Amino acid sequence: MTKSEDLIKKYKENSEYTHGFVTDIETIEVPKGLSEQTIKFISKQKQEPEWMLAWRLKAYERLKKMKEPNWQKPKYPKIDYQDLYYYSAPKSLKDQPKSLDEIDPEIRKTYEKLGIPLEEQKRLSGVAVDAVFDSVSVATTFKDELKKIGVIFCSISEAIKEHPELVKKYLGSVIPLTDHYFATLNSAVFTDGSFVYIPPGVRCPMELSTYFRINASNTGQFERTLIIADKGSYVSYLEGCTAPMRDENQLHAANVELVALDDAEIKYSTVQNWYPGDKEGNGGIYNFVTKRGACRGKNSKISWTQVETGSAITWKYPSCILQGDNSQGEFYSVAITNNYQKADTGTKMIHLGKNTKSKIISKGISAGNADNTYRGLVSIHPKAKGAKNFTQCDSLLVGNKCGAHTIPYIENKNSTSDIEHEATTSKISDDQLFYCRQRGLNQEEAVSLIVNGFCKEVLQQLPMEFAVEAQKLVGISLEGSVG
Amino acid sequence: MIEIKNLKTSIEDKKILNGLNLKINKGEVHAIMGPNGSGKSTLSYALSGKEGYDVSGEILFKKKNLLDLNTEERAQSGMFLAFQYPIEIPGVFTNNFLRTSLNSIRKAKNQKELNAIDFLKLLKEKAKSLQINQEMLSRPLNVGFSGGEKKRNEILQMALIEPEFVIMDETDSGLDIDALKIVSNGVNALRNSDRSFLIITHYQRLLNYIKPDFVHVLSNGKIVESGDWKLALELENDGYGKYLN
Amino acid sequence: MDQISSAIDKCFSSLITDTDIKNVNDRKEEFNKFKNTGIPSNKYENWKYSSLIKDINNFSDLTISKKKPNVNLKKNLFDFSHDKIFLVDGILHDADINEKGLKISQYNNFKKIGNNNPLVCLNNAFACNGFELEVKENSKVKKPLVIYNYFTSQMPSTFINFQHKLVLNSNTELVVFINNIFQNNSKFFCNNVTNVELKDGAILKNYSTHENNKSSSLFNFYNVDLGYSSNFEYFNYINNTSSCRDEININLNGENAFASLANLQILDQKYNHESKWVINHNKENTKSSQFLKTALHDSSHSVFQGKIYVNSIAQKTDGYQLSRALLLSDLAKFTAKPELEIYADDVKCSHGSSSGSIDEDSLFYLRSRGIDEKDAKKMMIQGFLAEAVQKITDKNFQQLFLNKLALSNEY
């Protein structure tokens, strides 16, 4: 056995999915299948107003005429949409909990295993958490404190009931009902998600955070998140995702919409660590997510940061529509794929307003038999005078059974704009490893150090609470895979 | 040669020069010294006509109002700026650039343009005294040049063009002592009773090699003190502290 | 769309009833392959940004003819010593070859070029003309070979299909210069497929000009297979061409093989040009370089799709790609898709792409040396484009193209 095979074997033994446990609680589920009835059931369960149901049904009508896209690099077996469950809520939550203490102790234990004890966070870290557990928001902390300064942070279900004027105005305004297959599917059947509204001039004093977790088997998780930063406001939002081990593939098709008005800034960070499937490529999450932000106001800014280490297939392009003059979009991404994982991710930066700026930093790391694709679009429209883009896409390959691909689309239709695109591919060199080891690091520490260095530009964008976890994840995901 | 009256400049509403007055006669060498941010580089850009600055006041150059002229017209009328950071232009060959520049200026002065052979002869001669080799001249303009090579290239251009008024913007920055000597010798060789110089510098070092007739201190966009070259020595010892407030 | 499709059908029926035509069944097979897609639409990923297909779709009638027009071949000859091939309106007209190692023959058989590109299938179905050129083993051909490719003003066809084959046997060298001469201002569609085979140690330098094509739509396809230590160098000077797509497919099949592709483009009016280059690194220690410079005026549109593919066995691959565009008018457009597809870990691959306007600081520097704005701009555009010429390793041709660039008024 060569040194690298040996190390890869060692890696396989070491990096079993540590979040793979199943919480044993009762859940309520709709019968399988996608139909008008299912949608009506979901809407009724959630006691939604009539307009919301009508909106969902409109999406469903549209969906019937649409086809699933298939241009992506990672192919997957056909999904039987009639064999999925579209709603699953922990039963004990039928009567919403009034406080953290009312949460099912089993769920609480799950969060603790994940390292996000709610109370701990409430007490120590000052992070307000809206935890989404199989589609239904179970607890929202810090709500009252935020309420005092006018920040609305609640589940989208609650927002539909309590703040219909905001939801009506902004829901679907960034990702229209008709956008594409998975986004439209989500619009028809979404179950829960987060809602954030930051009033004019308010700088949200704490990081807002949601932890997603897919628990029940064969459950498509369809959350919907809507964040609105009104004039001159600022918010940083964190999303963490984990799911237990299952043999079947589970579908996750979320929609996230961000709206930044004049002078507002939204920072959206994701650490995605969903079950990637086993070493042979069985099971794992299909993470088909639509994330899009509109810099609608002048001088607004939206920044996406993502660390994607999980899921069997990750297929998403967090994007920015730069409408407002002088608005800015940023995309920082680390995508790590190992074993049979596949990722096709990147961003779209659509420059419409004058002097709009965008920056894309993407780091793809591929090991084992995995495939990692960066796909992105930078489009500068004729009216976007003085627009600027800088893109840097770097790939790192570990072993020769994996693939790393870069597919950028660059469209410049304005002579006063500048686009710079750079991409490189490299490996961890023996010299680098030798140098580190000569200085006393072991192989795994050295790899972790080098890969973290490779991703540094992205990782340093993460808020403190996430940065440590992300750094650990980067190390763990690749342990022993370099020889 | 040149008379600057109440010169004010601003960029994007930020005021930089704030009523600067200066008169330089034929054959004189003036040095302007000042701390960082005092407006030294802005002065060189305002004089040479870089776009993007709002300029008011009056600049009379050989009795003509300079503010009516664009960048190349100022160059053609005899003004030369030695850049602090000479620009790299890939694909444009140095010798081709030098010839185009020289001939543009000759043409403007109604002088005969030089053909390739005469030009190369002249170039060789000037390059030699500045220790610039032929290989450097066949490379793209300033691309891959060391700091010293870039500055020598600026002096070479000056020697070729033989301007009447030279502005040197921080010419000593990034030079080692040998390069500094070569550059200074090049400048001193061009000193004569018809040619004037304005040397902009932060340090007194360059002035050991190119001795100015007058030294001015620039602070907050104005000349706050003037004297002879001894003023430079004082500044070297005492610093700019007393002019900063 | 229907118009062009029925025009092509009509041409094909008349072609296969011609008694001189060989391999009718193979042609039919290729034609059916073409018919599966037809002229591709922008919905196909490979044709997403294509303007050529829009122009082709505007044809309502196409004609093919075997008639040779009268043309004075002594005009436009270069004054340096060279061998010559004359192509006139899609037909091999004449050749003047003195070098011993060179063997030229008329294309006279059906040689299918296996490719799924519908326009290549179309060429396979139609091509009856072109040349085959062979360089005999160990021949280092001294004189360049110039191919004078005339499109005359009396052109009898509006649909021209060439197919050429170049074989360089082991340890050979050849410089080919394709000089496209457009005398024709009427619309025609030319589909030109060239198959190049470079055996071990063969070196081919392939230079071409494509200028002053005011009305026709051109599709050029190169397939190049490279053996051990072979070398393919390509340079194309594109100036003022109405509508063209250049596809190059490089297969680096032998160790130490190297391919270098470079384009210099100046486009104006509503002209469009697409380059689609694919480099397949199939063996260890292979090297490639792609380099494109384009200056865009008026409402011209330039498209660059360049791909580096690295097979999992192709360790130590060195792949480089750079595409840069200068946008000189508000309506000019540049679209690029610089792609990497990599399956080996010990490789060095990079690509860069940039587009934008003339750098203001550089312009100021030139103007401060007395060069007026117009000349300074011209100088910068020339300098920008000249970097593509630097990729040419043959010193004589490098100078030829630099002179051409300096004399060009199209800035």
Side-chain angles (χ1 to χ4, degrees):
Chain A
M1 196 183 279
T2 66
K3 199 169 78 181
S4 69
E5 278 168 358
D6 187 40
L7 281 161
I8 286 166
K9 186 167 163 271
K10 214 165 132 205
Y11 159 74
K12 285 175 178 169
E13 287 157 11
N14 279 339
S15 62
E16 295 285 353
Y17 188 69
T18 49
H19 290 156
F21 44 83
V22 176
T23 309
D24 192 16
I25 51 163
E26 281 184 86
T27 56
I28 306 175
E29 282 169 356
V30 213
K32 273 183 186 176
L34 180 61
S35 66
E36 206 171 301
Q37 230 151 3
T38 303
I39 293 166
K40 282 180 174 161
F41 177 87
I42 294 169
S43 191
K44 198 176 164 201
Q45 276 291 317
K46 305 178 75 62
Q47 300 159 359
E48 284 179 357
E50 196 56 38
W51 60 267
M52 197 63 240
L53 177 64
W55 199 78
R56 288 173 180 276
L57 290 173
K58 202 172 145 198
Y60 180 61
E61 278 312 305
R62 177 74 193 192
L63 184 72
K64 284 197 244 171
K65 293 179 205 119
M66 293 170 99
K67 269 196 201 145
E68 223 174 304
N70 69 346
W71 45 261
Q72 81 290 4
K73 186 138 174 83
K75 302 297 176 203
Y76 53 91
K78 216 173 153 38
I79 297 170
D80 183 353
Y81 292 93
Q82 297 309 330
D83 198 38
L84 290 179
Y85 290 100
Y86 288 88
Y87 185 78
S88 146
K91 208 176 222 168
S92 59
L93 285 174
K94 207 171 172 186
D95 304 306
Q96 293 277 314
K98 306 288 181 294
S99 73
L100 283 174
D101 300 334
E102 285 177 38
I103 287 180
D104 190 317
E106 282 286 322
I107 296 178
R108 297 278 296 281
K109 241 187 264 168
T110 302
Y111 285 126
E112 272 154 37
K113 282 193 216 171
L114 283 172
I116 47 155
L118 297 185
E119 301 215 80
E120 184 67 9
Q121 294 206 8
K122 189 174 177 180
R123 211 156 26 88
L124 296 174
S125 59
V127 174
V129 176
D130 177 26
V132 175
F133 196 100
D134 276 5
S135 321
V136 173
S137 177
V138 290
T140 306
T141 53
F142 282 100
K143 217 157 134 183
D144 293 339
E145 272 125 287
L146 292 171
K147 214 174 176 176
K148 279 181 211 152
I149 51 167
V151 171
I152 305 170
F153 179 38
C154 62
S155 70
I156 190 102
S157 313
E158 197 183 324
I160 289 166
K161 282 178 269 184
E162 306 292 327
H163 308 285
E165 68 301 334
L166 287 171
V167 177
K168 272 188 196 167
K169 187 170 175 190
Y170 292 107
L171 189 73
S173 76
V174 187
I175 305 171
L177 267 187
T178 52
D179 202 69
H180 68 95
Y181 190 84
F182 295 106
T184 305
L185 176 65
N186 175 288
S187 295
V189 302
F190 74 86
T191 37
D192 217 330
S194 299
F195 176 84
V196 177
Y197 172 79
I198 315 289
V202 170
R203 197 180 162 86
C204 189
M206 59 188 84
E207 315 270 359
L208 303 181
S209 166
T210 304
Y211 260 81
F212 289 117
R213 188 165 151 72
I214 302 177
N215 196 50
S217 77
N218 258 351
T219 307
Q221 179 153 343
F222 303 96
E223 344 80 42
R224 181 119 199 167
T225 294
L226 176 59
I227 299 176
I228 303 140
D230 213 321
K231 288 178 184 171
S233 68
Y234 167 86
V235 62
S236 167
Y237 187 88
L238 323 177
E239 171 198 67
C241 322
T242 314
M245 261 194 223
R246 297 277 184 196
D247 282 346
E248 318 93 304
N249 294 98
Q250 285 169 276
L251 174 66
H252 173 79
N255 280 8
V256 175
E257 291 177 280
L258 312 182
V259 179
L261 302 180
D262 289 358
D263 306 298
E265 180 177 350
I266 302 174
K267 195 171 156 65
Y268 194 104
S269 314
T270 305
V271 173
Q272 185 263 109
N273 184 28
W274 272 333
Y275 180 52
D278 66 16
K279 282 160 285 179
E280 272 69 50
N282 302 311
I285 301 289
Y286 290 164
N287 184 26
F288 300 169
V289 172
T290 308
K291 289 183 170 172
R292 199 175 298 159
C295 282
R296 215 157 270 175
K298 61 176 170 32
N299 308 318
S300 56
K301 182 174 176 185
I302 288 178
S303 176
W304 297 100
T305 305
Q306 60 173 24
V307 176
E308 305 279 331
T309 63
S311 294
I313 300 176
T314 296
W315 184 13
K316 62 181 238 192
Y317 311 98
S319 304
C320 296
I321 303 166
L322 303 167
Q323 291 163 286
D325 290 351
N326 305 314
S327 62
Q328 287 182 51
E330 289 177 344
F331 175 74
Y332 296 93
S333 169
V334 168
I336 300 179
T337 51
N338 203 344
N339 297 319
Y340 285 88
Q341 273 178 283
K342 291 178 165 52
D344 190 325
T345 185
T347 183
K348 291 181 188 177
M349 293 291 174
I350 314 291
H351 291 256
L352 302 171
K354 283 183 196 125
N355 298 315
T356 45
K357 286 196 183 74
S358 65
K359 185 173 177 185
I360 300 170
I361 306 286
S362 163
K363 307 279 177 177
I365 298 139
S366 203
N369 290 284
D371 242 330
N372 202 326
T373 302
Y374 167 84
R375 190 188 301 271
L377 168 70
V378 174
S379 182
I380 297 191
H381 285 243
K383 282 185 182 154
K385 293 229 180 301
K388 282 194 170 46
N389 161 265
F390 175 77
T391 303
Q392 170 91 45
C393 298
D394 296 321
S395 306
L396 194 69
L397 289 107
V398 183
N400 63 352
K401 290 196 185 74
C402 54
H405 320 299
T406 314
I407 312 175
Y409 294 80
I410 302 161
E411 304 175 359
N412 193 348
K413 297 171 188 165
N414 191 305
S415 68
T416 57
S417 62
D418 283 307
I419 300 184
E420 289 282 345
H421 174 99
E422 285 168 22
T424 63
T425 298
S426 55
K427 67 164 198 165
I428 298 177
S429 80
D430 294 343
D431 290 346
Q432 289 171 325
L433 280 178
F434 173 71
Y435 186 79
C436 293
R437 297 176 75 183
Q438 207 282 322
R439 296 288 183 271
L441 277 75
N442 70 30
Q443 184 94 357
E444 274 150 18
E445 286 167 338
V447 169
S448 176
L449 185 82
I450 293 166
V451 173
N452 267 299
F454 175 75
C455 303
K456 194 175 159 212
E457 266 178 287
V458 175
L459 296 178
Q460 69 193 13
Q461 294 297 323
L462 288 171
M464 275 303 285
E465 288 83 351
F466 265 22
V468 180
E469 185 184 344
Q471 269 173 33
K472 261 193 265 168
L473 269 177
V474 167
I476 290 167
S477 306
L478 287 160
E479 251 170 32
S481 51
V482 176
Chain B
M1 178 68 70
I2 190 162
E3 190 170 3
I4 303 166
K5 289 180 193 161
N6 196 24
L7 183 67
K8 290 182 182 172
T9 63
S10 59
I11 185 162
E12 284 167 4
D13 295 336
K14 203 182 141 216
K15 283 185 187 160
I16 303 169
L17 294 183
N18 216 350
L20 183 139
N21 295 296
L22 181 66
K23 190 175 175 192
I24 299 173
N25 295 316
K26 253 189 185 183
E28 289 177 355
V29 176
H30 289 239
I32 285 203
M33 301 182 69
N36 291 327
S38 57
K40 297 194 300 284
S41 284
T42 300
L43 175 62
S44 69
Y45 290 146
L47 292 176
S48 53
K50 190 172 186 179
E51 280 158 25
Y53 291 89
D54 285 325
V55 181
S56 69
E58 199 179 13
I59 307 173
L60 290 175
F61 179 56
K62 297 194 291 180
K63 300 193 178 99
K64 269 188 299 186
N65 187 0
L66 208 57
L67 296 180
D68 293 341
L69 304 180
N70 68 24
T71 305
E72 60 265 30
E73 286 164 345
R74 296 184 197 194
Q76 288 160 1
S77 64
M79 176 182 287
F80 181 91
L81 168 64
F83 280 57
Q84 180 178 8
Y85 304 109
I87 310 288
E88 298 185 8
I89 309 182
V92 171
F93 293 100
T94 306
N95 43 24
N96 183 30
F97 159 75
L98 294 175
R99 188 174 153 213
T100 311
S101 163
L102 181 61
N103 278 340
S104 301
I105 290 168
R106 291 180 72 97
K107 204 166 115 190
K109 289 187 196 158
N110 288 322
Q111 291 171 341
K112 207 176 143 238
E113 293 180 45
L114 291 184
N115 66 32
I117 297 160
D118 290 343
F119 171 75
L120 278 176
K121 222 172 105 188
L122 179 69
L123 181 62
K124 249 186 184 166
E125 179 192 309
K126 302 275 185 191
K128 207 174 150 194
S129 61
L130 286 161
Q131 300 181 22
I132 291 171
N133 63 25
Q134 287 297 303
E135 184 271 334
M136 192 174 128
L137 297 171
S138 56
R139 280 192 271 160
L141 187 55
N142 292 325
V143 177
F145 286 23
S146 69
E149 285 176 327
K150 281 182 184 167
K151 293 291 166 72
R152 272 186 277 153
N153 188 20
E154 294 291 289
I155 304 304
L156 172 66
Q157 292 173 36
M158 184 169 91
L160 275 171
I161 293 170
E162 298 181 332
E164 290 160 76
F165 176 53
V166 177
I167 307 158
M168 298 177 63
D169 188 4
E170 306 271 0
T171 296
D172 55 331
S173 70
L175 290 186
D176 61 29
I177 197 77
D178 291 333
L180 190 64
K181 276 183 194 160
I182 295 170
V183 166
S184 312
N185 289 341
V187 173
N188 287 329
L190 287 167
R191 273 179 87 158
N192 65 30
S193 58
D194 289 329
R195 188 171 287 128
S196 314
F197 288 83
L198 178 63
I199 297 169
I200 293 172
T201 184
H202 185 87
Y203 302 103
Q204 171 265 348
R205 193 177 63 158
L206 180 68
L207 306 180
N208 289 338
Y209 297 92
I210 307 168
K211 211 166 167 189
D213 303 311
F214 301 93
V215 173
H216 311 276
V217 180
L218 184 67
S219 181
N220 294 324
K222 271 185 182 169
I223 287 177
V224 291
E225 172 107 50
S226 297
D228 61 13
W229 68 276
K230 285 181 201 132
L231 179 60
L233 290 177
E234 277 170 36
L235 283 169
E236 186 71 11
N237 293 330
D238 305 343
Y240 292 107
K242 72 168 166 175
Y243 301 109
L244 281 176
N245 295 314
Chain C
M1 186 76 87
D2 290 341
Q3 272 183 346
I4 180 69
S5 149
S6 71
I8 291 174
D9 284 354
K10 226 170 79 192
C11 277
F12 193 67
S13 333
S14 82
L15 177 87
I16 53 175
T17 49
D18 187 330
T19 48
D20 291 347
I21 291 296
K22 290 172 187 151
N23 308 84
V24 172
N25 287 337
D26 288 334
R27 287 177 190 278
K28 279 183 178 165
E29 199 182 297
E30 285 293 301
F31 191 66
N32 287 332
K33 255 172 84 186
F34 160 74
K35 293 286 281 182
N36 284 336
T37 324
I39 301 293
S41 76
N42 289 118
K43 280 186 186 143
Y44 289 88
E45 179 65 23
N46 281 338
W47 302 84
K48 190 176 160 76
Y49 295 119
S50 180
S51 299
L52 176 78
I53 52 176
K54 283 178 210 144
D55 293 333
I56 294 175
N57 278 324
N58 283 332
F59 283 95
S60 54
D61 190 28
L62 292 171
T63 50
I64 38 176
S65 165
K66 288 193 281 183
K67 230 167 59 196
K68 282 189 195 179
N70 231 342
V71 60
N72 179 6
L73 299 179
K74 293 285 173 285
K75 257 167 65 179
N76 300 311
L77 292 188
F78 288 101
D79 53 9
F80 53 84
S81 165
H82 62 286
D83 279 353
K84 308 163 189 71
I85 291 177
F86 296 95
L87 300 167
V88 179
D89 296 340
I91 295 167
L92 176 62
H93 193 281
D94 199 4
D96 176 9
I97 307 267
N98 300 309
E99 289 278 346
K100 285 205 183 84
L102 277 183
K103 199 178 120 191
I104 183 156
S105 54
Q106 172 90 29
Y107 171 97
N108 60 2
N109 210 337
F110 177 84
K111 287 198 184 61
K112 190 169 82 179
I113 291 177
N115 195 288
N116 287 326
N117 184 320
L119 294 190
V120 174
C121 297
L122 186 67
N123 182 281
N124 280 329
F126 276 95
C128 301
N129 237 300
F131 62 83
E132 285 184 55
L133 184 78
E134 198 182 334
V135 183
K136 288 180 201 152
E137 229 174 80
N138 301 321
S139 304
K140 312 235 164 170
V141 180
K142 285 197 190 74
K143 285 184 198 166
L145 171 66
V146 178
I147 298 168
Y148 293 94
N149 189 13
Y150 285 91
F151 297 98
T152 67
S153 51
Q154 313 118 51
M155 183 188 287
S157 309
T158 54
F159 187 28
I160 290 175
N161 290 277
F162 282 120
Q163 200 163 98
H164 307 309
K165 190 169 170 71
L166 272 77
V167 178
L168 272 74
N169 287 307
S170 304
N171 195 27
T172 52
E173 266 182 54
L174 177 68
V175 178
V176 172
F177 176 36
I178 302 155
N179 186 27
N180 290 300
I181 301 158
F182 293 87
Q183 300 173 332
N184 188 339
N185 283 332
S186 64
K187 278 167 69 74
F188 63 93
F189 169 27
C190 176
N191 184 334
N192 184 7
V193 171
T194 305
N195 202 9
V196 178
E197 206 180 310
L198 302 182
K199 303 263 169 75
D200 298 353
I203 298 172
L204 176 63
K205 298 181 181 182
N206 185 107
Y207 308 133
S208 52
T209 57
H210 184 172
E211 287 184 285
N212 305 318
N213 161 17
K214 295 194 176 65
S215 51
S216 70
S217 299
L218 265 82
F219 173 71
N220 291 314
F221 184 91
Y222 261 82
N223 183 75
V224 187
D225 293 316
L226 288 96
Y228 170 76
S229 267
S230 64
N231 208 318
F232 178 67
E233 182 182 317
Y234 172 95
F235 173 83
N236 196 3
Y237 184 102
I238 297 153
N239 178 11
N240 207 351
T241 70
S242 73
S243 171
C244 179
R245 170 162 165 133
D246 282 315
E247 272 196 47
I248 304 176
N249 196 32
I250 301 279
N251 300 306
L252 298 160
N253 296 331
E255 272 194 54
N256 295 324
F258 172 51
S260 158
L261 310 180
N263 254 13
L264 179 163
Q265 303 182 161
I266 306 160
L267 296 181
D268 62 6
Q269 300 176 53
K270 280 186 173 175
Y271 292 169
N272 66 79
H273 187 275
E274 282 178 83
S275 304
K276 183 174 186 295
W277 295 346
V278 178
I279 304 218
N280 297 304
H281 288 265
N282 298 327
K283 268 276 159 55
E284 265 189 76
N285 282 311
T286 48
K287 201 176 157 187
S288 68
S289 158
Q290 301 171 61
F291 196 84
L292 177 127
K293 287 285 187 106
T294 180
L296 301 168
H297 299 266
D298 305 340
S299 35
S300 61
H301 182 196
S302 167
V303 180
F304 176 69
Q305 294 189 67
K307 179 170 175 176
I308 301 173
Y309 166 88
V310 181
N311 190 291
S312 61
I313 63 163
Q315 296 291 1
K316 311 272 180 211
T317 281
D318 184 345
Y320 170 82
Q321 185 194 81
L322 184 71
S323 57
R324 296 188 62 195
L326 261 187
L327 297 171
L328 298 162
S329 131
D330 278 350
L331 297 170
K333 272 192 298 187
F334 179 64
T335 33
K337 187 186 168 199
E339 204 176 330
L340 302 174
E341 185 172 355
I342 294 167
Y343 295 96
D345 60 338
D346 190 6
V347 300
K348 209 171 88 189
C349 283
S350 64
H351 68 213
S353 178
S354 71
S355 54
S357 45
I358 286 189
D359 179 54
E360 289 299 326
D361 286 338
S362 304
L363 200 58
F364 171 64
Y365 187 60
L366 295 182
R367 290 175 68 189
S368 78
R369 295 295 177 262
I371 302 168
D372 72 44
E373 190 172 355
K374 201 171 131 260
D375 290 340
K377 273 191 179 161
K378 184 173 159 176
M379 200 167 190
M380 285 188 58
I381 298 166
Q382 243 183 52
F384 170 82
L385 293 169
E387 286 192 306
V389 183
Q390 301 304 318
K391 296 282 166 183
I392 296 175
T393 56
D394 184 289
K395 290 294 160 204
N396 293 331
F397 275 96
Q398 191 186 83
Q399 200 52 53
L400 183 145
F401 283 108
L402 282 176
N403 294 346
K404 200 175 197 30
L405 183 62
L407 291 172
S408 168
N409 288 318
E410 289 292 332
Y411 289 108

